[in-house]
Short mmCIF file of all heavy atoms in Angstrom, two decimals:
data_model
loop_
_atom_site.label_atom_id
_atom_site.label_comp_id
_atom_site.label_asym_id
_atom_site.label_seq_id
_atom_site.Cartn_x
_atom_site.Cartn_y
_atom_site.Cartn_z
N ALA L 25 -22.87 -15.71 4.46
CA ALA L 25 -22.63 -14.43 5.11
C ALA L 25 -21.13 -14.27 5.34
O ALA L 25 -20.41 -15.21 5.58
CB ALA L 25 -23.31 -14.43 6.48
N VAL L 26 -20.66 -13.03 5.24
CA VAL L 26 -19.24 -12.73 5.39
C VAL L 26 -18.89 -12.39 6.83
O VAL L 26 -17.74 -12.42 7.24
CB VAL L 26 -18.85 -11.58 4.45
CG1 VAL L 26 -17.40 -11.27 4.56
CG2 VAL L 26 -19.21 -11.91 3.04
N HIS L 27 -19.85 -12.10 7.65
CA HIS L 27 -19.62 -11.65 9.03
C HIS L 27 -19.19 -12.85 9.92
O HIS L 27 -19.30 -13.97 9.55
CB HIS L 27 -20.84 -10.95 9.67
CG HIS L 27 -22.03 -11.78 9.59
ND1 HIS L 27 -22.31 -12.73 10.49
CD2 HIS L 27 -23.08 -11.76 8.71
CE1 HIS L 27 -23.52 -13.31 10.18
NE2 HIS L 27 -23.94 -12.74 9.06
N ALA L 28 -18.71 -12.55 11.12
CA ALA L 28 -18.22 -13.62 12.01
C ALA L 28 -19.32 -14.51 12.43
O ALA L 28 -20.46 -14.08 12.66
CB ALA L 28 -17.56 -12.94 13.24
N ASP L 29 -19.03 -15.78 12.60
CA ASP L 29 -19.93 -16.79 13.06
C ASP L 29 -19.93 -16.77 14.56
O ASP L 29 -18.97 -17.00 15.26
CB ASP L 29 -19.51 -18.11 12.53
CG ASP L 29 -20.45 -19.27 12.96
OD1 ASP L 29 -21.49 -18.97 13.58
OD2 ASP L 29 -20.12 -20.43 12.65
N PRO L 30 -21.14 -16.54 15.20
CA PRO L 30 -21.16 -16.45 16.65
C PRO L 30 -20.85 -17.83 17.27
O PRO L 30 -20.46 -17.85 18.47
CB PRO L 30 -22.59 -15.98 16.97
CG PRO L 30 -23.38 -16.20 15.72
CD PRO L 30 -22.45 -16.23 14.59
N ALA L 31 -20.96 -18.85 16.59
CA ALA L 31 -20.67 -20.24 17.11
C ALA L 31 -19.19 -20.59 17.01
O ALA L 31 -18.77 -21.54 17.50
CB ALA L 31 -21.50 -21.24 16.41
N ALA L 32 -18.39 -19.71 16.29
CA ALA L 32 -17.03 -20.01 16.10
C ALA L 32 -16.29 -19.91 17.42
O ALA L 32 -16.66 -19.09 18.27
CB ALA L 32 -16.40 -19.01 15.08
N PRO L 33 -15.18 -20.58 17.64
CA PRO L 33 -14.43 -20.51 18.88
C PRO L 33 -13.79 -19.14 19.09
O PRO L 33 -13.49 -18.46 18.07
CB PRO L 33 -13.35 -21.56 18.75
CG PRO L 33 -13.21 -21.92 17.26
CD PRO L 33 -14.55 -21.57 16.68
N ALA L 34 -13.75 -18.69 20.28
CA ALA L 34 -13.16 -17.39 20.57
C ALA L 34 -11.67 -17.32 20.27
O ALA L 34 -11.03 -18.40 20.22
CB ALA L 34 -13.37 -17.07 22.07
N ALA L 35 -11.12 -16.21 20.04
CA ALA L 35 -9.73 -16.06 19.78
C ALA L 35 -8.89 -16.55 21.02
O ALA L 35 -9.41 -16.49 22.13
CB ALA L 35 -9.38 -14.59 19.57
N ALA L 36 -7.75 -17.06 20.75
CA ALA L 36 -6.88 -17.63 21.82
C ALA L 36 -6.51 -16.51 22.78
O ALA L 36 -6.27 -15.42 22.40
CB ALA L 36 -5.65 -18.25 21.18
N ARG L 37 -6.59 -16.79 24.08
CA ARG L 37 -6.23 -15.80 25.08
C ARG L 37 -5.10 -16.36 25.95
O ARG L 37 -5.13 -17.56 26.28
CB ARG L 37 -7.48 -15.56 25.99
CG ARG L 37 -8.68 -15.02 25.20
CD ARG L 37 -9.18 -13.69 25.78
NE ARG L 37 -10.40 -13.28 25.18
CZ ARG L 37 -10.47 -12.49 24.11
NH1 ARG L 37 -9.39 -12.11 23.51
NH2 ARG L 37 -11.61 -12.18 23.58
N CYS L 38 -4.24 -15.44 26.28
CA CYS L 38 -3.08 -15.86 27.11
C CYS L 38 -3.50 -15.60 28.60
O CYS L 38 -3.92 -14.49 28.94
CB CYS L 38 -1.88 -14.98 26.76
SG CYS L 38 -0.38 -15.46 27.73
N PRO L 39 -3.49 -16.64 29.47
CA PRO L 39 -3.90 -16.44 30.86
C PRO L 39 -2.97 -15.47 31.55
O PRO L 39 -1.75 -15.43 31.27
CB PRO L 39 -3.73 -17.83 31.46
CG PRO L 39 -3.79 -18.78 30.32
CD PRO L 39 -3.21 -18.00 29.13
N LYS L 40 -3.47 -14.71 32.52
CA LYS L 40 -2.70 -13.75 33.25
C LYS L 40 -1.56 -14.51 33.98
O LYS L 40 -1.73 -15.57 34.52
CB LYS L 40 -3.59 -13.04 34.29
CG LYS L 40 -2.85 -12.00 35.02
CD LYS L 40 -3.77 -11.31 36.03
CE LYS L 40 -3.04 -10.22 36.75
NZ LYS L 40 -3.83 -9.49 37.61
N GLY L 41 -0.39 -13.89 33.88
CA GLY L 41 0.84 -14.51 34.49
C GLY L 41 1.50 -15.52 33.69
O GLY L 41 2.43 -16.17 34.13
N HIS L 42 1.08 -15.73 32.39
CA HIS L 42 1.69 -16.78 31.57
C HIS L 42 2.49 -16.05 30.49
O HIS L 42 2.16 -15.01 29.93
CB HIS L 42 0.64 -17.64 30.92
CG HIS L 42 0.01 -18.60 31.82
ND1 HIS L 42 -0.23 -19.93 31.46
CD2 HIS L 42 -0.49 -18.47 33.10
CE1 HIS L 42 -0.80 -20.55 32.45
NE2 HIS L 42 -0.94 -19.68 33.49
N LEU L 43 3.58 -16.71 30.06
CA LEU L 43 4.35 -16.31 28.86
C LEU L 43 3.70 -17.05 27.73
O LEU L 43 3.52 -18.27 27.74
CB LEU L 43 5.81 -16.76 28.99
CG LEU L 43 6.63 -16.68 27.70
CD1 LEU L 43 6.80 -15.26 27.29
CD2 LEU L 43 7.91 -17.37 27.84
N CYS L 44 3.25 -16.27 26.68
CA CYS L 44 2.66 -16.88 25.52
C CYS L 44 3.31 -16.43 24.28
O CYS L 44 3.59 -15.23 24.16
CB CYS L 44 1.14 -16.51 25.50
SG CYS L 44 0.19 -17.23 26.82
N LEU L 45 3.51 -17.35 23.38
CA LEU L 45 4.02 -17.04 22.04
C LEU L 45 2.94 -17.41 21.05
O LEU L 45 2.40 -18.52 21.09
CB LEU L 45 5.30 -17.85 21.77
CG LEU L 45 6.49 -17.62 22.69
CD1 LEU L 45 7.69 -18.47 22.35
CD2 LEU L 45 6.86 -16.12 22.80
N PHE L 46 2.61 -16.48 20.19
CA PHE L 46 1.44 -16.62 19.23
C PHE L 46 1.88 -16.83 17.81
O PHE L 46 2.95 -16.28 17.36
CB PHE L 46 0.55 -15.33 19.27
CG PHE L 46 -0.12 -15.16 20.60
CD1 PHE L 46 0.46 -14.47 21.62
CD2 PHE L 46 -1.43 -15.55 20.69
CE1 PHE L 46 -0.13 -14.27 22.79
CE2 PHE L 46 -2.11 -15.37 21.95
CZ PHE L 46 -1.49 -14.73 22.96
N GLU L 47 1.09 -17.53 17.07
CA GLU L 47 1.37 -17.82 15.65
C GLU L 47 1.27 -16.58 14.81
O GLU L 47 2.05 -16.36 13.84
CB GLU L 47 0.31 -18.85 15.24
CG GLU L 47 0.40 -19.23 13.77
CD GLU L 47 -0.62 -20.35 13.47
OE1 GLU L 47 -1.80 -20.14 13.75
OE2 GLU L 47 -0.16 -21.35 12.89
N GLY L 48 0.39 -15.66 15.16
CA GLY L 48 0.14 -14.49 14.34
C GLY L 48 0.59 -13.20 14.98
O GLY L 48 0.89 -13.14 16.20
N PRO L 49 0.60 -12.08 14.25
CA PRO L 49 0.90 -10.77 14.80
C PRO L 49 -0.17 -10.29 15.77
O PRO L 49 -1.32 -10.72 15.68
CB PRO L 49 1.05 -9.83 13.60
CG PRO L 49 0.18 -10.50 12.59
CD PRO L 49 0.28 -12.00 12.86
N HIS L 50 0.21 -9.38 16.66
CA HIS L 50 -0.80 -8.74 17.59
C HIS L 50 -1.53 -9.75 18.42
O HIS L 50 -2.70 -9.65 18.65
CB HIS L 50 -1.79 -7.78 16.84
CG HIS L 50 -1.05 -6.89 15.88
ND1 HIS L 50 -0.24 -5.94 16.28
CD2 HIS L 50 -1.03 -6.85 14.50
CE1 HIS L 50 0.25 -5.23 15.24
NE2 HIS L 50 -0.27 -5.78 14.15
N GLN L 51 -0.86 -10.84 18.86
CA GLN L 51 -1.41 -11.83 19.74
C GLN L 51 -2.64 -12.49 19.12
O GLN L 51 -3.69 -12.68 19.75
CB GLN L 51 -1.68 -11.33 21.11
CG GLN L 51 -0.51 -10.79 21.85
CD GLN L 51 0.10 -9.51 21.32
OE1 GLN L 51 -0.62 -8.54 21.07
NE2 GLN L 51 1.39 -9.47 21.13
N THR L 52 -2.49 -12.88 17.80
CA THR L 52 -3.61 -13.57 17.10
C THR L 52 -3.14 -14.95 16.74
O THR L 52 -1.93 -15.31 16.77
CB THR L 52 -3.98 -12.79 15.84
OG1 THR L 52 -2.83 -12.67 15.00
CG2 THR L 52 -4.48 -11.40 16.24
N GLY L 53 -4.08 -15.76 16.27
CA GLY L 53 -3.77 -17.10 15.83
C GLY L 53 -3.56 -18.04 17.02
O GLY L 53 -3.88 -17.73 18.16
N ARG L 54 -3.05 -19.19 16.75
CA ARG L 54 -2.89 -20.23 17.75
C ARG L 54 -1.83 -19.76 18.76
O ARG L 54 -0.87 -19.10 18.41
CB ARG L 54 -2.42 -21.51 17.17
CG ARG L 54 -3.45 -22.28 16.35
CD ARG L 54 -3.02 -23.59 15.84
NE ARG L 54 -1.76 -23.40 15.08
CZ ARG L 54 -0.68 -24.15 15.24
NH1 ARG L 54 -0.60 -25.15 16.09
NH2 ARG L 54 0.44 -23.95 14.52
N ILE L 55 -1.93 -20.19 19.97
CA ILE L 55 -0.88 -20.03 20.99
C ILE L 55 0.09 -21.22 20.76
O ILE L 55 -0.29 -22.36 20.99
CB ILE L 55 -1.42 -20.00 22.44
CG1 ILE L 55 -2.27 -18.78 22.63
CG2 ILE L 55 -0.23 -20.02 23.41
CD1 ILE L 55 -2.88 -18.69 24.01
N LEU L 56 1.30 -20.88 20.42
CA LEU L 56 2.33 -21.93 20.12
C LEU L 56 3.04 -22.39 21.40
O LEU L 56 3.53 -23.50 21.49
CB LEU L 56 3.39 -21.36 19.12
CG LEU L 56 2.81 -20.95 17.83
CD1 LEU L 56 3.91 -20.25 17.02
CD2 LEU L 56 2.13 -22.10 17.08
N LEU L 57 3.10 -21.53 22.46
CA LEU L 57 3.72 -21.82 23.68
C LEU L 57 2.99 -21.11 24.78
O LEU L 57 2.76 -19.90 24.63
CB LEU L 57 5.20 -21.49 23.66
CG LEU L 57 5.97 -21.78 24.95
CD1 LEU L 57 6.33 -23.25 24.99
CD2 LEU L 57 7.24 -20.93 24.98
N ASP L 58 2.66 -21.75 25.86
CA ASP L 58 1.99 -21.16 26.99
C ASP L 58 2.62 -21.75 28.26
O ASP L 58 2.51 -22.92 28.58
CB ASP L 58 0.49 -21.56 26.98
CG ASP L 58 -0.35 -21.04 28.09
OD1 ASP L 58 0.26 -20.45 29.06
OD2 ASP L 58 -1.57 -21.08 28.05
N GLU L 59 3.41 -20.85 28.93
CA GLU L 59 4.14 -21.25 30.15
C GLU L 59 3.70 -20.40 31.31
O GLU L 59 3.81 -19.16 31.24
CB GLU L 59 5.63 -21.10 29.94
CG GLU L 59 6.26 -22.20 29.06
CD GLU L 59 6.23 -23.56 29.66
OE1 GLU L 59 6.54 -23.65 30.93
OE2 GLU L 59 5.91 -24.52 28.98
N ASP L 60 3.33 -21.02 32.41
CA ASP L 60 2.99 -20.32 33.60
C ASP L 60 4.27 -19.81 34.30
O ASP L 60 5.10 -20.66 34.59
CB ASP L 60 2.19 -21.23 34.54
CG ASP L 60 1.64 -20.52 35.74
OD1 ASP L 60 2.00 -19.35 36.00
OD2 ASP L 60 0.80 -21.15 36.56
N ALA L 61 4.37 -18.55 34.51
CA ALA L 61 5.56 -17.98 35.15
C ALA L 61 5.52 -18.02 36.67
O ALA L 61 6.51 -17.65 37.33
CB ALA L 61 5.78 -16.54 34.70
N HIS L 62 4.42 -18.46 37.28
CA HIS L 62 4.29 -18.56 38.74
C HIS L 62 4.75 -17.30 39.40
O HIS L 62 5.74 -17.36 40.25
CB HIS L 62 5.00 -19.79 39.28
CG HIS L 62 4.59 -21.06 38.63
ND1 HIS L 62 3.42 -21.71 38.94
CD2 HIS L 62 5.19 -21.84 37.70
CE1 HIS L 62 3.28 -22.80 38.25
NE2 HIS L 62 4.31 -22.93 37.46
N ILE L 63 4.19 -16.14 39.09
CA ILE L 63 4.64 -14.84 39.59
C ILE L 63 4.05 -14.58 41.00
O ILE L 63 2.88 -14.78 41.21
CB ILE L 63 4.23 -13.74 38.60
CG1 ILE L 63 4.93 -13.91 37.23
CG2 ILE L 63 4.55 -12.37 39.12
CD1 ILE L 63 4.45 -13.08 36.12
N THR L 64 4.96 -14.15 41.85
CA THR L 64 4.57 -13.70 43.22
C THR L 64 5.09 -12.29 43.35
O THR L 64 5.82 -11.79 42.51
CB THR L 64 5.12 -14.61 44.30
OG1 THR L 64 6.57 -14.49 44.32
CG2 THR L 64 4.79 -16.07 44.11
N LYS L 65 4.78 -11.67 44.50
CA LYS L 65 5.28 -10.34 44.67
C LYS L 65 6.83 -10.30 44.85
O LYS L 65 7.44 -9.28 44.60
CB LYS L 65 4.63 -9.62 45.88
CG LYS L 65 4.96 -10.21 47.21
CD LYS L 65 4.31 -9.45 48.34
CE LYS L 65 4.80 -10.04 49.66
NZ LYS L 65 4.44 -9.22 50.77
N ASP L 66 7.42 -11.42 45.19
CA ASP L 66 8.84 -11.44 45.39
C ASP L 66 9.67 -12.03 44.21
O ASP L 66 10.93 -12.04 44.26
CB ASP L 66 9.17 -12.29 46.63
CG ASP L 66 8.56 -11.68 47.92
OD1 ASP L 66 8.55 -10.45 48.00
OD2 ASP L 66 8.02 -12.47 48.74
N GLY L 67 9.00 -12.63 43.26
CA GLY L 67 9.75 -13.26 42.14
C GLY L 67 8.86 -14.08 41.30
O GLY L 67 7.67 -13.92 41.23
N PHE L 68 9.51 -14.98 40.61
CA PHE L 68 8.75 -15.83 39.61
C PHE L 68 9.50 -17.11 39.41
O PHE L 68 10.73 -17.24 39.79
CB PHE L 68 8.56 -15.12 38.29
CG PHE L 68 9.90 -14.86 37.52
CD1 PHE L 68 10.30 -15.76 36.59
CD2 PHE L 68 10.68 -13.75 37.80
CE1 PHE L 68 11.59 -15.61 35.92
CE2 PHE L 68 11.87 -13.60 37.19
CZ PHE L 68 12.32 -14.47 36.22
N GLN L 69 8.84 -18.08 38.80
CA GLN L 69 9.48 -19.37 38.50
C GLN L 69 9.10 -19.77 37.06
O GLN L 69 8.21 -20.56 36.83
CB GLN L 69 9.08 -20.45 39.43
CG GLN L 69 9.54 -20.30 40.85
CD GLN L 69 8.99 -21.38 41.79
OE1 GLN L 69 8.12 -22.11 41.42
NE2 GLN L 69 9.58 -21.39 42.97
#
Side-chain angles (χ1 to χ4, degrees):
V26 179
H27 55 82
D29 179 5
R37 302 238 187 267
C38 185
K40 183 177 180 178
H42 285 225
L43 167 69
C44 294
L45 301 179
F46 293 85
E47 180 178 52
H50 312 294
Q51 296 71 47
T52 60
R54 293 181 304 131
I55 295 178
L56 302 174
L57 181 78
D58 179 351
E59 285 292 317
D60 186 351
H62 303 284
I63 298 172
T64 67
K65 67 178 185 166
D66 299 323
F68 66 94
Q69 293 178 347

